[in-house]
Amino acid sequence: MYAVEMVNIVKKFPGVLANDHVTIRIKKGEIHAIVGENGAGKSTLMNQLYGLYHPDEGDILINGQKVTIKGPKDAIKNGIGMVHQHFMLVDTLTVAENIVLGSEPVKGLNFDIKEARKQVKELSEKYGLFVDVDAKIEDIPVGMQQRVEILKTLYRGANIIILDEPTAVLTPQEVEELFEIMRKLKSDEKTILFISHKLHEVMEISDRITVMRLGKVTGELETSKTNPKEIARHMVGRDVVLRVEKAPHKSKEKVFEIKDLVVKDNRGLVAVNKVSFDIRKGEIVGIAGVAGNGQTELVEAITGLRKIEDGKIYFEGKDVTHFTPKQLRELGLAHIPEDRLKHGLIEEFEAYYNVILGQHYKPPFSNGTFLNHKEIFEYTKNIMEEFDVRPRRIQHLGGNFSGGNQQKLVVGREIRMNPKFLVVAQPTRGLDVGAIEFIHKQILKMREMDVGILLISMELEEIFSLSDRIIVMYEGEIMGEVKPEETTVEEVGLMMTGQRLVEARRG
Amino acid sequence: FKAIMVTDTGGLGDKSFNDGTWAGVKRAAAELGIDAQVIQSYEQADYVSNLTKAAQEIQKEPDGGIVYAVGFMMTDALFEVAQQFPDVYFAGIDIAPSSDNVPPNVICFLFKEQESAFLVGYIAAATTRANKVGFIGGIPIPPVERFRYGFETGVKVFNDLHGTNVQIIKGYTNQFSDPKKGKDLALSQFAEGVDIIFHASGACGNGVIEAAKEKMVSLVGKDDLKSILEYAFEKGGYFAMGVDVDQDYMAPGVVLASAMKGVDTASYLGVKWAYEGNWTPGIHKLGLAENGVRMSPMKYTKGLVENRTLAELAYLVTLIKKGILTVPETEEALKSFRTPNIVFPF
Amino acid sequence: MNKRFSAILIPIISVLIALAISTVIILLIGKNPLTAYSALIRGSFGSKQAIADTIIKTTPLILTGLAVGFGFRAGVFNIGAEGQMVMGALIAAAFAGNFGFLPPIIAIPLTILIAMAVGAGYAAIAGFLKAKTGAHEVVTTIMLNWIATYFASYMVTGPLKVGSGTPKSPEIANSAQLPILMKVGAIEVSAGIIIAVVAAIFMYILLNKSTTGYEIKAVGFNPYAAEYGGISVSKNIILAMAISGALAGLAGATELMGVHHRFLGELSGGKGFDGISIALIGQNNPIGIIFAALLIGALRTGSNEMQFVGVPKHMVMIIQGIVIFLVAADRIVRTIMIRKKVTK
Amino acid sequence: MRVLEAIFLVFINPLFYKITLTAATPLIFASLGGVYSEITGVVNIALEGIMLMSAFTSVVFTYLSGNVWVGVLMAVISGLAFSWIHAWGSIKWAGNQVVLGTALILIAQGVTGFLMEPIFGKPGQTDFVGKVEELKIPGLSNVPFFGKIFGELSPFVYMAFAAVAFSWWLIYKTKLGLRMRAVGENPEAADTLGINVFGIRYFGVLMSGVWAGLAGAYLSIGEVGHFRELMTGGRGFIALAAMILGKYNPVGAMLASILFGASSAFANQMQSSSLIHVSATVKPLFDMIPFILTIIVVAGFVGKSRAPKADGIPYEKAS
Ligand SMILES: Nc1ncnc2c1ncn2[C@@H]1O[C@H](COP(=O)(O)OP(=O)(O)OP(=O)(O)O)[C@@H](O)[C@H]1O
Ligand SMILES: Nc1ncnc2c1ncn2[C@@H]1O[C@H](COP(=O)(O)OP(=O)(O)OP(=O)(O)O)[C@@H](O)[C@H]1O
Ligand SMILES: [Mg+2]
Ligand SMILES: [Mg+2]
């Protein structure tokens, strides 16, 4: 018995065949993973199941019955719920309001907020999905936002739940929690469609796997009978190196140092509390930590985007504490930001203007007054070539690139600045394995070139495989500093939850 | 023969010089059996081109015609265009040339607004029981200001002749088209203790009149002419004074009097003179003596004013007509104005 | 459909639809639509005089359109072009009255410069408040418009008043008046139109070729990314408002120096507001703005001619309104065009 | 210090408060209209035009029927109809909302001017056609001070405040209000929950027509009893500012409107004060007070007012 069957689905976008006769069958009560490169057509397929897009050809069957899904309303009626790749939450409303939105409990003429809170609380307890019902979405961390999204589907009584890349923004702990929830849902007879780029997650949680590539299904696998290597080959069409090799770090010369740094967050609370560390030439220092423990503020302070309350920052020995982003860039700082749409890119700018952001006023791109478009175009072509940005069109608008390609554009821009010091935050969020491999290689190349690198990532795997030293942050403070080869994921994990290194070592 | 009138941006429906001019032109046209047409201006930049087009239309007529430029805003445009078309008659209403040598094809009609305003000022001073009267102007442009000079002079003369101390509160709406603004300003003046307000503020004045009516009706408790007049006779009340035309009809019993301006008379005369070839170019200032301005007949409210006051007023009118009493026309003249020695013959 | 092609076609079809709608109204008031429309065309392009009129009306509209359009490109909604235009012209008039001793080569640029500087400064108030306190520029510029109106009214009925007629400032010195390109009777077309076109070219270069334009656009599109890229957000917001205000001030200057030769109470006459629709019809593109201004300018000029055949001026406001409406909701027009094609 | 004395006298004068209320009333209605439209994500710069249309219709129908309440009703209906055009252009056809708004203002000015002659036989302004009577509260008028303020007030004033209370309830306490706010902030999210984004936006814009319609009716048959071309005098724009100043919240918009009403009442009262003697030419400067005050308030005390995230952006469904 299949809960969902999508048969011979074809979906075209102008110039793109996003789904090319895709057939996928999901058994009732299973966790079914869908994997594939960026742009393979996974989200498009799911959006059709949820009624956001309409297939050009093909049929959708729910519990064996052929259905037409005209819009989300129909999907909800058919017991389908979806957690979108980009969250669909109303920032200014509370958690409870977001969850009940569209099928609100009422009392007389009034919206019954009490009842809403009660129901949400019950549901949240039943599935162990902890949320703060009265908090506004804009004030809660992404992990909780994710739980809100899941609660939204449960509140509507969904039996078929689509999770489109739910783990891309979660910490390992949160991923574990999510899996716990998914198992609970599964034991509750719910069917789950799970999209992820992380093969180990897929291996851990799914029952079956559908692999997509270039709009087509390239493989249907039983999880228990396959391995990551095989999946990756189906996805990318070649073997992928998932482990990186690097020579040990040697240099002793400090390139960057912060001392007793204090920074506040948007609400005016201390987010970074007396943090000190340094970074040497050709060294990658990784900062591990659960999101919301001051990493974002730390990066913003270091790169001149946030006011520094107290403490000092030195760049090659020079005090740069209150420097503007421009001054810091002049000295040789580059920054791959965690939120590429907020800081990294100007969506309305063409690729060629995005590529010069930060150096736009300097030769050869400008003579101080006028831009030199010839140089800019040439430069952009080179970067797109070197970093394999697709489509290879310099006039393509920043916002129209896929996420992976946006990231490549930003990485290319910052690396080609020839920095002395590089701040890299969440560099591979939402990217497929091929792209991750590529970006990791680029970061290591910078290390070879003696650039000091600060890496912030919630992916412990990424931190472990790239860093020379690992610093763990918790509630704005440093819990300890370790070398990857001298520690374990468990130890770092303990520090991420607030135990100091000594305590963690003690067990 | 044809008469074409070009309005200023206020356009028809201003209940003031545009409407008045058009009424006079139409009357003349009907009497003389000629064509009359009106062109409304959308913005300042239209004046020159509309006047030019009008003059060109006239040139097409075998026996010529006259172009009217209405409103002080068109001063410059009128003289520029008139020079280009010496064979076309031009008449300016409320237009004061900057120099005295007006081209031979141009007549400018100006009004001695101050003279009619003097009369209503005198009535106001005689009628107020609060010893405070108000003036509300639109934008302080010359005609508005002339109304004020006259009103202030009327009050002053009454004070001087009768030993009273009636004060004047003055305000401006700074525009002519928002009745609510006029109403709010009038209510503010009433709140300051004023009981009669004279307005020279275009459509804002509708609001002034409405404010007076509202206050009055609330005092009287009834909204019919008889009750209002009975109450007012006994205890006074709140009044407005109209401008340009007889505004009695807007709130019978509440509009005490109006300072009227005979724009239609002027425009009527202009067409007639041009048609009959009886053309005297230059500036024509029309005052009480020329029947260019007057006070409304006070159809409803005459009974509220003492007979003696009306008689005094009639006498003052003769003094003004004879030129014995000159109502100030400028701020300076107002400042230096001293009430002459007037002895009423009764 | 070709993008450039439809950018031209849509306004044209919008005009045709608007005319179709107003045909009904004209018939209802018992006039002949054909006479009315031939008057409209005759009045806007039919003679030397008509063309002169159209140019005169188009000039300030181009400049206010550029002012608002520049603001939009920089992410600010400058609803205050009206006030900036008034202030620029007013202060320039106050100075230029005394420029008789200067030769035109100095007096003209100087007067322009004053108007632009005042417009810029006045707009920069709103820019500064937005950058420093977050005060919304729509609120502040609306307020500044009123302040400018009342201030101007005060100046021309008070300190700057001359003569006994129109509230007006003294005539500016001859040497500060713009040279005349074309004279048809009393109608004088000044070099203002050249200034407007140059301003459009300037805006094009500034926005598309210069580093400053790059920074201003970056801030307008995404202030966070701009800041990240080392661009000062508050400096550029103020600068963008100032440039927008300078263009509005320039509109005041051309009206002052090329048309009225003195400051008059109604000098702006809503042209600052017209700038909003012109900017958006022209898609905030300098060349587009020139044509949008020409469209509105021609409609207004033609409307005066329509009055000679008995169609009141309000009719033209309605036509203009419908045209602007249809250009804004261009999909209506596109849908109609596609349907036409299908049925063919 | 005569000026201080004059200011003091203004504040103890009950009529100052009454004029404040009546000056604020049209702004409250209109800014409320703005709130409804903009929280659902549609910029409504057309308020000025809607008000003008309704001011006109209410006078026309009062004139034709002889009953002011018919006029009020028709003002609301014409507000609905006129805002429907805005909704149609900006929601159905995804047009640029700001341009559509300016177009509608122009159309309103044209249509009202154009219809004067055929309906009333003369252009410019109508005669007095009738006015909504003030509400007299019997005992109240004898109460010192407050009696002077509330003893006789136009029912519109009470309606305005009732409308604010109603709107606050509707927007923050009902399911519809929740959906309105959701749609203005994130229409995609609302759409994925099966909410009819277009429907909600239509509702918001149409309601803005209702309120702006009442604002227009108040200006004509509520206050002066006749219609005059362009009689709204830019209040639509001031209401827009009040809405932003009030942070897109009905209560905030009301407070901003009152601030504005109070400062213009203050300016009027000061220019009418017999204690301070200023020359006539300086009087225009008094009219700047409300605008300067507003700038000071918005810059000094209010700070950032955040528009709903999707405000002004047409929502387009994917296919
Ligand atoms: N509005 C648009 N106009 C033109 N091209 C677009 C548009 N939107 C998306 N694209 C194109 O679609 C492709 C992918 O878009 P999308 O954001 O769906 O990527 P994706 O497949 O999710 O990839 P990733 O995971 O890397 O983000 C890109 O090649 C982009 O150029
Ligand atoms: N709205 C759109 N307009 C045009 N093209 C689109 C649109 N959405 C998706 N596409 C195209 O469809 C392709 C499939 O995109 P889709 O988002 O389904 O990929 P995906 O497999 O979900 O990728 P990712 O892993 O990055 O999420 C993209 O490459 C893009 O070219
Ligand atoms: Mg996807
Ligand atoms: Mg994607």
Side-chain angles (χ1 to χ4, degrees), chain A residues 38-39 43 85-86 165 402-403:
Chain A
N38 294 129
S43 299
Q85 188 169 359
H86 310 283
E165 280 189 50
S402 74

Side-chain angles (χ1 to χ4, degrees), chain A residues 238-257:
Chain A
R238 63 175 165 85
D239 278 326
V240 179
V241 188
L242 291 171
R243 274 279 159 197
V244 291
E245 304 295 329
K246 60 176 198 275
H249 168 253
K250 289 180 290 274
S251 174
K252 289 264 170 284
E253 210 177 318
K254 272 187 205 169
V255 59
F256 193 84
E257 183 173 14

Side-chain angles (χ1 to χ4, degrees), chain C residues 167-230:
Chain C
K168 62 195 169 194
S169 77
E171 182 157 327
I172 59 173
N174 275 328
S175 59
Q177 300 183 1
L178 289 177
I180 289 160
L181 297 183
M182 171 174 154
K183 194 169 159 98
V184 191
I187 299 166
E188 294 170 348
V189 179
S190 77
I193 184 68
I194 296 177
I195 293 178
V197 172
V198 169
I201 296 169
F202 168 80
M203 173 166 149
Y204 179 81
I205 292 173
L206 182 70
L207 278 175
N208 298 304
K209 305 284 172 207
S210 80
T211 314
T212 310
Y214 177 93
E215 296 201 344
I216 285 178
K217 281 190 292 184
V219 170
F221 286 137
N222 183 347
Y224 298 104
E227 192 189 2
Y228 157 91

Side-chain angles (χ1 to χ4, degrees), chain B residues 9 40 44 46 56 72 142, chain C residues 49 53 57 164 166 266 307:
Chain B
T9 55
Q40 305 208 54
Q44 196 115 23
D46 287 336
Q56 285 166 347
F72 45 88
Chain C
Q49 182 185 328
D53 268 338
K57 290 212 177 204
S164 55
T166 326
E266 293 180 22
Q307 291 190 54

Side-chain angles (χ1 to χ4, degrees), chain B residues 9 37 39-44 46 48-50 52-54 56-57 72-73 75-76 80-81 84 96 140-142 174 181, chain C residues 49 53 57 150 153 157 164-168 183 185-187 260 262 264 266-267 271 300-301 304-305 307-308 313 317 320:
Chain B
T9 55
Q37 196 173 21
I39 305 301
Q40 305 208 54
S41 300
Y42 188 89
E43 55 175 316
Q44 196 115 23
D46 287 336
V48 169
S49 80
N50 280 351
T52 304
K53 278 183 203 149
Q56 285 166 347
E57 284 291 302
F72 45 88
M73 297 291 187
T75 310
D76 295 338
E80 270 172 48
V81 177
Q84 306 281 332
I141 51 172
N174 279 307
K181 184 139 198 229
Chain C
Q49 182 185 328
D53 268 338
K57 290 212 177 204
Y150 288 126
S153 156
T157 53
S164 55
T166 326
K168 62 195 169 194
K183 194 169 159 98
I187 299 166
H260 305 300
R262 55 169 95 242
L264 300 150
E266 293 180 22
L267 181 126
K271 293 186 194 73
R300 293 212 173 140
T301 320
N304 287 330
E305 189 75 23
Q307 291 190 54
F308 282 91
K313 70 168 181 178
M317 296 171 76
Q320 268 179 52

Side-chain angles (χ1 to χ4, degrees), chain C residues 9 11 14 59 63 66 70 85 90 98-99 105 148 158 214 227 246 252 279 301 311:
Chain C
L9 206 58
S14 301
T59 304
L63 288 166
L66 291 176
F70 186 85
M85 183 179 172
L90 178 70
N98 313 314
F99 283 171
I105 191 92
Y214 177 93
E227 192 189 2
T301 320
V311 178

